[in-house]
Amino acid sequence: MESKFFSIGDIVTLKSHPYVSENTSIIVSGDHLTLPPLMVVTEISKSTFKADEKKVDTFRYECIWFSPKTFKFETADVYEDQLKLIKKSALAIDPKSIERGARLNFKTVSLELGKKKSTLSYDDNSVNGGAPNTTINTLLAFLPPVLQFVGNVPYKSKHPLNDKGKVIRLIPVTAVVVNYFDTINNCISEYPLPVEVLELIEKIPDKRLVEIQKIIQKSGYLMVGNSLKKTLIQPKNISHKGGYYYLRGFNYLTNRMEEYNLKASTSVRSVTTPFTEEAPKFDILTQPEAATSKFITNEIQVLLNKAITQKSYIRIKYLNKNNQLTQRTIKNMQLVTIKEDAKDVAYMIGFCLLRSDKRNFRVDRIQNAQCLALTYR
């Protein structure tokens, strides 16, 4: 017996849900309370239904989800043609390798944490004449609690598995007993769940969290990332959502506040400063001409050349032709000189991380340049 559409452990939902398998970043508008839950397939059974007085063979899927109203895991049998796939099941965790007390997540958690809703509001007293304002917030309607591992038991179904020697229902082999704090009944509840619906939460050493907090208190800096990608940030706070720790900070590459999921594999290293050098220095005590525009442009150009040679990221304050000041971080730079009104004008061409595209910058419009303590390949 094999279902051609869904497998045990797949994340599915009703076809009325706006998510599709290739896009779970769709923002939910309207009444989010009518949104069906994201569910996980736990059992598969053969079934039939009537269509135009004819008997049609199909499959039914027992699906499980967490209900915030009852604060319990609920199940329902749903016909194949009523469901759509959101995410195929990955390899299930080995229940024998889980330590007692280990933290687990229901596998829809990462999708639930990314769910967002938009709210439209009108301000009749505003200067924009009552134009609508759209606010986007997280939507945590079906977010399950963090679970703790208690033990393993054989999985038991409430339904028959065979009929006259034929397999009519597929079920998991092992169930994992978990506990969690039930806020509605004010008690610690235990519940057996198929191992296929769970994910193991990586343990982040307490020592690492304490060290990061100390750097935050000192207004220090961190290099964050892995062997393939690193960035420099000024950390602001640590938050905890759905069993995961997140580090929020100002990213000197994108020049905006960003959030990073702290994993065991995430490299976090304290740095004294995110910059190795800055121009202009305005050293007017020893060099009175350092305040002149020509000297400043030359000083910045020297630093740009150094960054190009070292393949260092360069962070600039740039005044465009409309006198708007923006902060950009650039990589893969090169300097070129072109003629404008019979004058030689220097330009820096490079990949702008703010715009995620190649951009041109007049060197004499760069107000400030900082060479980051980070190189690119």
Side-chain angles (χ1 to χ4, degrees):
M1 178 186 139
E2 185 177 349
S3 165
K4 64 180 180 180
F5 287 115
F6 311 116
S7 305
I8 291 173
D10 286 353
I11 299 177
V12 297
T13 189
L14 298 182
K15 287 185 175 178
S16 58
H17 198 290
Y19 277 9
V20 294
S21 60
E22 298 299 323
N23 188 358
T24 56
S25 300
I26 297 168
I27 296 172
V28 179
S29 298
D31 188 0
H32 65 273
L33 297 176
T34 62
L35 202 67
L38 298 176
M39 306 175 288
V40 184
V41 175
T42 55
E43 298 185 12
I44 304 172
S45 61
K46 286 186 175 181
S47 187
T48 58
F49 67 88
K50 280 189 177 182
D52 298 328
E53 302 300 321
K54 291 182 180 180
K55 198 175 183 182
V56 179
D57 292 328
T58 186
F59 288 93
R60 291 182 76 179
Y61 300 85
E62 183 177 280
C63 301
I64 187 170
W65 73 95
F66 183 79
S67 170
K69 291 185 178 179
T70 60
F71 220 75
K72 295 184 184 299
F73 289 95
E74 307 287 352
T75 61
D77 272 1
V78 188
Y79 281 106
E80 190 169 70
D81 60 356
Q82 304 300 309
L83 293 170
K84 62 179 175 180
L85 178 70
I86 298 300
K87 188 177 180 181
K88 286 296 293 180
S89 175
L91 187 66
I93 55 177
D94 180 5
K96 295 179 181 178
S97 67
I98 310 173
E99 296 180 0
R100 186 173 172 85
R103 299 187 310 151
L104 300 164
N105 257 339
F106 190 64
K107 69 184 341 180
T108 62
V109 163
S110 58
L111 293 173
E112 293 293 348
L113 286 173
K115 199 184 289 181
K116 291 181 172 58
K117 65 177 178 179
S118 66
T119 306
L120 196 64
S121 62
Y122 294 86
D123 185 0
D124 292 336
N125 297 318
S126 66
V127 293
N128 60 5
N133 297 310
T134 301
T135 305
I136 297 176
N137 294 309
T138 53
L139 174 57
L140 305 177
F142 293 100
L143 184 67
V146 177
L147 312 170
Q148 291 190 151
F149 176 75
V150 177
N152 299 315
V153 295
Y155 182 86
K156 293 181 180 180
S157 176
K158 300 176 183 177
H159 310 281
L161 308 182
N162 301 279
D163 182 27
K164 298 177 182 178
K166 291 184 178 180
V167 177
I168 59 171
R169 180 174 287 266
L170 296 178
I171 64 169
V173 175
T174 305
V176 172
V177 179
V178 298
N179 65 19
Y180 62 93
F181 181 67
D182 183 339
T183 58
I184 290 180
N185 297 298
N186 196 33
C187 67
I188 297 175
S189 295
E190 281 195 0
Y191 199 93
L193 292 170
V195 69
E196 287 86 353
V197 309
L198 297 170
E199 292 176 336
L200 186 64
I201 300 174
E202 283 186 307
K203 181 172 174 56
I204 305 298
D206 294 348
K207 184 180 178 181
R208 176 181 287 191
L209 298 175
V210 171
E211 288 172 350
I212 293 173
Q213 189 60 43
K214 286 180 179 178
I215 292 169
I216 292 171
Q217 291 170 349
K218 293 178 181 177
S219 298
Y221 305 96
L222 290 172
M223 185 176 289
V224 180
N226 52 44
S227 58
L228 297 176
K229 187 178 180 181
K230 290 184 174 66
T231 189
L232 289 163
I233 70 167
Q234 184 171 31
K236 298 298 182 182
N237 56 61
I238 300 172
S239 62
H240 184 269
K241 293 181 289 186
Y244 302 109
Y245 287 100
Y246 292 86
L247 176 62
R248 186 169 178 268
F250 183 83
N251 186 338
Y252 286 100
L253 294 188
T254 59
N255 291 292
R256 57 180 174 231
M257 295 296 296
E258 291 186 355
E259 199 170 57
Y260 306 90
N261 186 351
L262 284 174
K263 299 180 180 179
S265 58
T266 305
S267 170
V268 179
R269 181 168 62 87
S270 175
V271 293
T272 307
T273 173
F275 315 115
T276 59
E277 199 171 342
E278 186 172 358
K281 295 184 175 65
F282 292 111
D283 187 12
I284 56 176
L285 289 177
T286 59
Q287 294 176 302
E289 69 275 20
T292 65
S293 59
K294 185 177 179 180
F295 190 96
I296 290 171
T297 301
N298 182 66
E299 197 175 0
I300 288 173
Q301 194 162 342
V302 169
L303 185 59
L304 296 180
N305 275 312
K306 185 180 289 188
I308 291 169
T309 302
Q310 297 173 347
K311 289 193 172 181
S312 299
Y313 290 94
I314 196 81
R315 185 169 179 253
I316 63 172
K317 283 182 181 176
Y318 187 71
L319 190 68
N320 66 18
K321 60 184 179 181
N322 297 319
N323 287 324
Q324 295 174 322
L325 191 66
T326 59
Q327 194 109 47
R328 315 285 187 101
T329 300
I330 316 295
K331 68 174 183 176
N332 297 326
M333 302 85 66
Q334 59 177 315
L335 291 175
V336 298
T337 302
I338 64 172
K339 289 285 186 182
E340 285 188 8
D341 299 326
K343 292 182 180 179
D344 289 335
V345 179
Y347 276 84
M348 177 181 68
I349 303 171
F351 187 85
C352 174
L353 275 69
L354 178 67
R355 304 301 182 198
S356 296
D357 202 0
K358 187 178 282 190
R359 289 289 188 268
N360 304 328
F361 304 93
R362 271 185 63 145
V363 175
D364 60 2
R365 291 187 183 274
I366 297 175
Q367 309 297 296
N368 176 269
Q370 296 168 312
C371 194
L372 292 182
L374 188 64
T375 58
Y376 56 86
R377 294 179 181 179

